[in-house]
Amino acid sequence: MKLAIVPSYTGNDEAPPALHPLPPIGEVPKLEQWAAESAAYGKAMETLCEFLLHSAKTVEQKSQGLNVTFLALAAGAKSQGEQIQKIVSAGSELVVDDERFSIQDFLNVFSQTLTNLMEKIVFISEMSVRMAYYLDEATTHLGALESFVQKINKINKETNLLALNATIEAARFGEEGKGFGVVAGEVKSVSQSIQTLTFDMNSHIGAVASSLRGSYEVTQKLATTDMSEQILARERLDRMLLGLIEQNRHFSTVMQGAIDDSNKISQNISQAVIGMQFQDRNSQEIGNVVNVLRKLGEHLNAVPSIEEDEVVLRRMIEAIGGQFSLSELRKIFLSKMLGKDVAKDVAKEEGNASSSGAKNDEAIELF
Amino acid sequence: MDMRINTGQGRCEIFFSGKFTFADNAAFKEVLALVENPEIRSFVLDFAQVEFIDSSVLGMLMILRNEGGNHGQSVTIRGAQGQVDKVMRLSQFDTKFTMI
């Protein structure tokens, strides 16, 4: 019986050749041929099943790895949400001397303080103008006092002169004028007392005038201090405060959005974790298929081979290997089936093939 | 500042113009003196032509209000605008006087 001899896979990227060329019309493949080929597939079956189980295991391991990563992500998202919540709380409240104040409280205290200040400014203005008016009056009366004292002085001088004249007249009348002379002397002494008094009055009036001038200067300074600019500043402060409140409200809205986003992330991660559980089913399904394939392998191995030609068997195994497009997988398959040394020879032969073909192989594997 | 006084039917209208500051306090004393006139029952202070007041003017107006109050006379402030209106409103004069 002649078996079809199959060339080794050359490594170019055409579709791998069929195990045997298509029979010309009319020829029917012999049962013996088919049996020999089935035996080769039977021998390869266990290796193929190992490959399947290995894939399933890889999926399981990678899934577990992803699971761990997702749990870490979920923890991160939760922590982020908590941090943002803290910022929102801190932003809407102040703690001063163990007392909590909201931004609204601050606005109220601030506003009330400014209103009280305005009241006091108006009050001080009123009082300083009243004081200015009183000092004006006092200055006028003082002026009057000063002129009265001058008049008293003048009258006193005249009185003194009269007393002098009287003394002279009295002296002229000698003994009869003595009494008159005494009276004149008394008048003179009274006049001197009045002069001392007016002198004292003058010095006191001078002191009062000086104090009054001092008070008037101070009052002027007080009353001319214009606080209208400070009053107008209130308007600007009020506007800034409202801006602060608006900004705070906007800030809270944005932060709340960020918290909502964090929560969505957590939910999506939970979904992903649930989705990952497919791998369990996947393992089971593959396990099921492998069981059936092993049975198929047993079935194919049960076919008795008419000839077990080593060379022919090797060539058939190589042909099956040629159906792998991943060169790594092909190498592992061949080394399991034929032994490591034999696989090396096959690889050498493949290495003699065109280099561009080999490169395409690598490209696929990288993907 | 310049001052123009119109009295009639128990009402005393005073028109102020220009810049009104503490320097005008002597002139304002004339207005205060009118409080003693029993025929006057109300004061209308027109500020439409006043471009600026300093804080002492607030004091002067408060004196008029208090003295007028003692004599049963009302005080109305009319036509305040610009800086004058701002200063008066920020000092809550709209609660202390009738402002029109």
Side-chain angles (χ1 to χ4, degrees):
Chain A
M1 187 204 63
K2 210 170 110 186
L3 290 165
I5 293 187
V6 178
S8 294
Y9 188 51
T10 54
N12 61 32
D13 57 6
E14 285 173 10
L19 195 55
H20 51 82
L22 285 168
I25 300 165
E27 228 184 283
V28 171
K30 300 248 171 77
L31 197 58
E32 294 88 350
Q33 227 176 314
W34 188 85
E37 287 157 13
S38 299
Y41 275 109
K43 287 193 180 353
M45 193 56 74
E46 186 50 40
T47 307
L48 294 172
C49 287
E50 274 176 33
F51 283 165
L52 272 174
L53 289 170
H54 177 78
S55 280
K57 196 91 191 140
T58 305
V59 168
E60 191 186 323
Q61 283 169 352
K62 296 290 180 202
S63 297
Q64 277 165 3
L66 277 169
N67 237 24
V68 169
T69 306
F70 279 138
L71 282 171
L73 266 171
K78 185 167 180 247
S79 164
Q80 188 177 281
E82 282 165 7
Q83 293 293 93
I84 293 168
Q85 190 61 63
K86 278 187 197 158
I87 293 172
V88 172
S89 303
S92 61
E93 247 185 13
L94 296 162
V95 178
V96 178
D97 294 331
D98 297 331
E99 255 191 278
R100 306 193 97 86
F101 295 104
S102 69
I103 300 282
Q104 191 59 48
D105 290 335
F106 172 66
L107 171 67
N108 293 341
V109 169
F110 196 73
S111 247
Q112 196 54 51
T113 306
L114 284 176
T115 302
N116 293 345
L117 266 168
M118 298 294 142
E119 294 250 5
K120 296 225 153 53
I121 286 176
V122 172
F123 180 71
I124 288 169
S125 288
E126 188 194 334
M127 292 303 126
S128 59
V129 174
R130 277 189 193 270
M131 188 134 76
Y133 285 162
Y134 282 136
L135 287 170
D136 279 345
E137 267 182 60
T139 309
T140 310
H141 288 304
L142 198 69
L145 261 178
E146 278 173 327
S147 69
F148 289 152
V149 170
Q150 271 169 18
K151 282 198 178 106
I152 292 172
N153 249 353
K154 195 166 164 224
I155 293 167
N156 205 33
K157 277 197 176 101
E158 285 174 20
T159 311
N160 219 14
L161 220 58
L162 275 168
L164 199 61
N165 286 338
T167 310
I168 293 165
E169 290 295 312
R172 257 209 297 140
F173 282 105
E175 213 35 62
E176 276 143 23
K178 234 192 206 158
F180 193 62
V182 167
V183 170
E186 292 298 310
V187 169
K188 186 161 179 224
S189 142
V190 162
S191 171
Q192 267 174 340
S193 300
I194 290 173
Q195 194 173 355
T196 310
L197 268 169
T198 58
F199 186 77
D200 287 340
M201 269 172 76
N202 250 351
S203 67
H204 280 290
I205 287 171
V208 170
S210 174
S211 294
L212 220 56
R213 258 195 309 276
S215 300
Y216 195 77
E217 270 166 36
V218 168
T219 306
Q220 282 280 110
K221 284 199 179 119
L222 194 62
T224 54
T225 304
D226 177 23
M227 291 176 275
S228 62
E229 276 217 27
Q230 280 66 33
I231 293 167
L232 287 171
R234 163 88 194 256
E235 194 188 39
R236 191 141 181 259
L237 278 167
D238 280 344
R239 265 191 284 125
M240 285 168 77
L241 210 58
L242 283 170
L244 186 72
I245 289 169
E246 176 56 34
Q247 189 199 54
N248 191 260
R249 194 197 57 78
H250 174 69
F251 186 70
S252 284
T253 307
V254 170
M255 284 288 136
Q256 192 55 49
I259 290 170
D260 291 342
D261 284 345
S262 278
N263 288 340
K264 277 195 200 125
I265 290 171
S266 283
Q267 279 168 26
N268 283 333
I269 289 170
S270 296
Q271 292 285 87
V273 167
I274 290 165
M276 295 289 291
Q277 283 159 22
F278 82 94
Q279 65 81 21
D280 196 47
R281 173 84 186 182
N282 185 61
S283 289
Q284 285 177 43
E285 283 174 6
I286 288 181
N288 271 261
V289 169
V290 163
N291 288 342
V292 175
L293 287 174
R294 278 183 172 147
K295 281 286 174 213
L296 178 62
E298 277 173 36
H299 173 78
L300 293 170
N301 279 329
V303 172
S305 247
I306 294 164
E307 285 171 52
E308 270 222 28
D309 186 334
E310 281 280 326
V311 174
V312 168
L313 192 63
R314 182 186 142 171
R315 288 281 171 213
M316 287 189 135
I317 296 293
E318 281 173 20
I320 296 171
Q323 289 172 57
F324 289 104
S325 60
L326 291 176
S327 70
E328 185 64 37
L329 211 58
R330 188 187 329 121
K331 282 184 187 133
I332 295 169
F333 174 74
L334 292 174
S335 83
K336 277 185 193 281
M337 297 301 302
L338 306 174
K340 284 217 171 86
D341 297 329
V342 179
K344 266 199 199 143
D345 294 338
V346 174
K348 238 194 246 171
E349 282 169 36
E350 282 172 8
N352 295 335
S354 64
S355 55
S356 64
K359 273 201 188 127
N360 284 333
D361 237 4
E362 304 313 318
I364 291 163
E365 282 171 318
L366 280 169
F367 171 81
Chain B
M1 59 90 178
D2 295 306
M3 217 165 67
R4 188 164 50 90
I5 305 177
N6 281 348
T7 320
Q9 282 124 13
R11 195 164 88 147
C12 179
E13 268 184 316
I14 304 163
F15 295 83
F16 298 102
S17 60
K19 285 196 173 109
F20 197 158
T21 66
F22 180 67
D24 302 306
N25 76 82
F28 194 75
K29 253 198 260 189
E30 281 180 49
V31 178
L32 284 174
L34 292 169
V35 167
E36 302 296 324
N37 183 340
E39 280 169 40
I40 295 175
R41 304 317 310 149
S42 65
F43 287 93
V44 176
L45 309 176
D46 192 298
F47 275 82
Q49 301 301 315
V50 177
E51 53 193 72
F52 176 87
I53 55 166
D54 72 8
S55 49
S56 70
V57 173
L58 300 175
M60 288 181 222
L61 292 170
M62 286 304 288
I63 296 173
L64 179 63
R65 174 185 177 262
N66 293 335
E67 297 303 311
N70 292 343
H71 290 80
Q73 292 151 334
S74 67
V75 181
T76 303
I77 295 174
R78 180 172 72 194
Q81 35 77 27
Q83 185 261 11
V84 178
D85 183 56
K86 265 195 197 165
V87 171
M88 285 185 182
R89 284 190 191 280
L90 288 167
S91 310
Q92 307 203 300
F93 262 29
D94 48 348
T95 62
K96 299 177 162 93
F97 297 82
T98 310
M99 282 187 73
I100 54 170

